[in-house]
Amino acid sequence: MAKRRSSGSPGPSTIANRLLASLPPDEYRRLAPHLEPYPLVLKQVLYKPGEAVDFVYFPGGGFISVVTVLANGDMVEVATIGNEGMVGGSAIAAGYREPTLTMVQMASEKCDRLPAATFRREIERHGALYEVVSRFSHALTGVVMQSTACNATHSVEQRLARWLLTARDRVGADHFPLTQEFLAMMLGAARPTVTIVAGILQRAGLITYRRGQISILKGGPLEAVSCECYQVTTALLANVWRRPARVRA
């Protein structure tokens, strides 16, 4: 069983997950005894479609994919979540069952999980956790909507560039493990197509790809290859950390 954090846990500046780090110190100290360190294992399934949510996960590294599974078994990613967010927000409604598959796509020792019942109690207080989770949920909805439009209208090359930049932001590094099989699944494209497009980016000197490891060599030019969706979704998530201005009566 994972060990729970003590109430004497470090302050927000040392907390890897940005949602938790944004909480006022007293709010985090109250929550800390209920948080369990929970390392993320590659390909680990956190929720299957139709399962109830028992825990909410706050990754501090790596990233998690939320995936739609089609009747024929094909899978398409609808969201990539790293230390900027959380998964399992549907736990707000007791007994709600997940419609999607949620799985770890890059492992990390840094993750905390919170029992769903505790999460609901905190949300019902309408305190700091409620505010930041609400902002993240709103931003995530916008990200999913933008990604849907992107998948329908933009080229595989643009989408691949956007996804690589998104993964870089989640990992916080220009070098990370990535297989073409996984990329094809995430982009909803045939593997040979992804191979060709990745080769184009590599020959352009923007990335290197070898033995399941990818390196982004030129982030700026790669952004130029990507569609506008990368900037749009990045801005949506940035708004999570900007407290809304108070409206005067």
Side-chain angles (χ1 to χ4, degrees):
M1 181 176 179
K3 183 179 179 181
R4 294 181 185 274
R5 294 199 182 278
S6 69
S7 58
S9 295
S13 62
T14 61
I15 301 168
N17 179 270
R18 294 187 67 185
L19 291 185
L20 295 179
S22 71
L23 298 176
D26 58 336
E27 293 274 331
Y28 180 78
R29 282 194 293 270
R30 192 185 64 258
L31 195 65
H34 304 284
L35 291 170
E36 301 176 1
Y38 192 85
L40 299 174
V41 179
L42 182 65
K43 302 300 182 184
Q44 177 185 16
V45 174
L46 300 180
Y47 317 116
K48 294 179 181 179
E51 284 188 345
V53 175
D54 294 324
F55 290 92
V56 176
Y57 296 85
F58 297 88
F63 55 86
I64 297 168
S65 291
V66 180
V67 179
T68 294
V69 182
L70 304 179
N72 64 359
D74 288 346
M75 295 185 285
V76 179
E77 185 187 63
V78 296
T80 305
I81 297 173
N83 70 347
E84 85 292 344
M86 54 168 283
V87 295
S90 59
I92 289 175
Y96 180 83
R97 298 188 179 275
E98 278 290 306
T100 55
L101 177 74
T102 303
M103 62 191 299
V104 178
Q105 294 297 357
M106 183 173 178
S108 175
E109 291 293 319
K110 299 178 181 179
C111 181
D112 287 311
R113 71 177 187 178
L114 185 69
T118 304
F119 177 73
R120 281 194 293 273
R121 287 197 298 270
E122 285 297 314
I123 294 299
E124 289 168 0
R125 291 182 66 253
H126 281 221
L129 184 65
Y130 168 81
E131 291 180 5
V132 73
V133 167
S134 296
R135 293 199 299 274
F136 174 71
S137 297
H138 180 74
L140 185 61
T141 298
V143 169
V144 172
M145 293 172 66
Q146 188 72 29
S147 298
T148 301
C150 182
N151 290 338
T153 60
H154 294 145
S155 69
V156 175
E157 184 177 9
Q158 290 174 309
R159 288 157 50 203
L160 176 57
R162 174 180 66 86
W163 198 94
L164 292 175
L165 291 166
T166 299
R168 177 199 63 179
D169 293 347
R170 302 295 180 273
V171 176
D174 290 326
H175 180 81
F176 45 89
L178 197 62
T179 65
Q180 290 188 7
E181 179 183 11
F182 164 67
L183 267 179
M185 180 178 69
M186 294 302 98
L187 296 173
R191 183 173 176 178
T193 301
V194 173
T195 300
I196 292 171
V197 173
I200 293 172
L201 296 180
Q202 185 161 240
R203 286 191 296 275
L206 304 182
I207 67 171
T208 59
Y209 180 80
R210 181 180 297 175
R211 297 178 182 177
Q213 299 289 323
I214 195 160
S215 295
I216 296 176
L217 303 179
K218 298 178 180 179
L222 190 61
E223 286 189 36
V225 173
S226 175
C227 51
E228 73 271 18
C229 298
Y230 171 68
Q231 293 294 343
V232 171
T233 55
T234 299
L236 284 169
L237 290 169
N239 286 331
V240 175
W241 320 115
R242 300 189 186 114
R243 292 187 178 277
R246 294 184 180 277
V247 179
R248 294 183 178 179

